[in-house]
Amino acid sequence: MNTADTTVADPRELFRRHPRNPILTSADFPRMVNATFNPGAIEHDDETLLLVRVEQRTGLSYLAVATSADGRSGWRLDRDRVMQPALDSDDECWGIEDPRITRLDGEYLITYTGFSRSGPLVCLASTTDFHTFERRGVMMAPEDKDAALFPTRFDGRYAMIHRPSPAMAELGCHIWLSWSPDLRHWGDSQVLLPARQGGWWDARKVGLGPPPLATPEGWLICYHGVRTTASGSIYRLGLALLDLDDPRVLVCRGDEWVFGPYAPYERNGDVPDVVFPCGWILHDDGDTLDLYYGAADSVTCLATASLTELLDHLRTHPGPIGGRTARERRPTPPRTGSIRPPAPRERP
Ligand code: BMA
């Protein structure tokens, strides 16, 4: 291992850190803030747009827009392009965090965590320009977070991945999938990707990273897995694939983590040993995938991978799905009168 290069853990790593990481820090903000991390990402107006979580020196977070022509440098922060929490509401009284952006039906849908009086919950906002944001309300009651919408509907219904937390922490925090006809009423919920058990890197807690990405082999999922150690938690990233037409079916889940804290800015910060992506952008070549992530709950970073290599990796590193096989995980067919299973997806 080359200990002199702090950006390359091992040349065989699938994700390569940008040499100028961190690409955004609190020093880039005109006003003093504590940290900027866990960004959502999307292409908008021929630019890369990040919606970064900005933690103020009050401890509460808001969301700020940062744009760049190449997605790597020259980030512009516009004082007026921000989404502030509704501090007078129960839902967001302690800030808003960790946005994921999905383009659907001509608008951008932003799922984010509201820090409510009863803990984290899942909220929705929409925008067409990232100048003004319309609040669409709470979608999942507390405790729930790490939510993102699919960029398509299935048989007319919206699908959302999210992560409720059980009151009994020893049961583990698993990733769920829920359905809605209108983005307000959610149901038909099921565990999609459970935390594994015992010695696994993703044994205690898992949560979705960026929104699902349509690939020829299925919906690519990047999720964080949390390992608790004697000196704290380690947040690492793994991959899984869902069936393109029926995302309830977990087709494959990798065994190893594919990205973890290594560089100093990931190992040191407010919360050490955390990499936490909320957005990724696939380039026009259909292969270059830019992953935008928060490091150590302090700064915003970029790592790049080849989609082909990620899919190859999943093919060659299949792991246990979490105790049950994909077939067993498929819900029993609905009885007469209940909601129909999703039909083939409408292509994004
Ligand atoms: C998660 C979220 C993230 C945070 C991570 C590590 O539960 O709250 O916002 O980055 O923990 O602290």
Side-chain angles (χ1 to χ4, degrees):
M1 186 168 63
N2 177 3
T3 48
D5 187 340
T6 58
T7 64
V8 183
D10 184 309
R12 292 166 295 187
E13 288 271 15
L14 291 169
F15 283 94
R16 286 165 284 279
R17 292 170 177 81
H18 192 266
R20 286 203 295 275
N21 270 350
I23 55 169
L24 269 181
T25 73
S26 56
D28 294 308
F29 285 74
R31 198 164 150 263
M32 277 177 83
V33 294
N34 179 52
T36 176
F37 56 116
N38 300 4
I42 200 94
E43 277 180 309
H44 173 67
D45 279 352
D46 296 325
E47 287 189 310
T48 298
L49 183 147
L50 301 185
L51 194 58
V52 289
R53 170 178 169 188
V54 182
E55 190 185 280
Q56 305 167 92
R57 286 160 61 113
T58 57
L60 277 52
S61 295
Y62 69 92
L63 308 180
V65 171
T67 52
S68 155
D70 64 3
R72 281 151 171 70
S73 57
W75 293 97
R76 284 184 308 283
L77 291 156
D78 183 339
R79 244 177 228 274
D80 299 328
R81 293 182 96 180
V82 296
M83 184 173 160
Q84 293 287 356
L87 293 176
D88 53 356
S89 72
D90 283 338
D91 319 333
E92 303 180 1
C93 61
W94 291 323
I96 53 178
E97 308 177 351
D98 304 354
R100 278 88 170 173
I101 309 168
T102 297
R103 188 185 287 126
L104 183 57
D105 297 341
E107 62 181 350
Y108 299 103
L109 297 172
I110 304 164
T111 47
Y112 60 97
T113 304
F115 196 165
S116 84
R117 281 187 197 288
S118 305
L121 44 68
V122 177
C123 299
L124 176 68
S126 57
T127 184
T128 53
D129 56 10
F130 290 94
H131 284 278
T132 56
F133 301 88
E134 184 191 346
R135 278 193 166 69
R136 310 265 289 258
V138 173
M139 293 197 290
M140 289 286 164
E143 288 202 5
D144 210 318
K145 53 167 61 171
D146 299 331
L149 293 158
F150 283 76
T152 186
R153 284 187 274 169
F154 300 84
D155 199 17
R157 294 199 299 169
Y158 298 94
M160 181 168 69
I161 296 177
H162 57 114
R163 210 287 308 284
S165 298
M168 299 156 83
E170 67 276 13
L171 296 179
C173 294
H174 313 302
I175 295 177
W176 285 64
L177 175 67
S178 293
W179 299 88
S180 172
D182 56 6
L183 290 172
R184 291 185 67 81
H185 304 92
W186 291 91
D188 278 354
S189 304
Q190 65 165 95
V191 173
L192 182 66
L193 189 141
R196 284 185 276 220
Q197 295 179 346
W200 281 91
W201 65 272
D202 52 358
R204 201 173 83 76
K205 199 195 253 193
V206 287
L208 184 70
L213 178 71
T215 79
E217 303 197 14
W219 293 102
L220 183 63
I221 298 295
C222 172
Y223 69 95
H224 61 260
V226 185
R227 173 90 179 262
T228 311
T229 76
S231 51
S233 298
I234 307 176
Y235 279 68
R236 300 181 175 113
L237 307 180
L239 302 173
L241 276 174
L242 310 177
D243 187 273
L244 262 193
D245 297 322
D246 184 353
R248 299 173 305 176
V249 177
L250 186 54
V251 174
C252 157
R253 178 177 185 177
D255 57 355
E256 301 179 350
W257 71 80
V258 292
F259 193 64
Y262 174 82
Y265 47 81
E266 296 159 354
R267 302 227 52 203
N268 305 298
D270 277 3
V271 185
D273 292 324
V274 175
V275 289
F276 200 97
C278 293
W280 52 10
I281 291 177
L282 183 64
H283 286 231
D284 289 342
D285 63 7
D287 190 51
T288 308
L289 185 63
D290 283 340
L291 182 77
Y292 293 93
Y293 65 100
D297 282 10
S298 297
V299 293
T300 295
C301 296
L302 166 65
T304 302
S306 148
L307 179 61
T308 311
E309 285 180 22
L310 297 185
L311 295 173
D312 284 349
H313 174 87
L314 269 174
R315 228 173 281 119
T316 52
H317 292 72
I321 276 171
R324 287 175 284 175
T325 66
R327 183 166 290 282
E328 286 163 344
R329 296 188 48 67
R330 194 187 271 266
T332 49
R335 283 189 291 261
T336 314
S338 63
I339 294 171
R340 283 164 296 155
R345 72 193 184 111
E346 296 155 21
R347 300 259 160 196

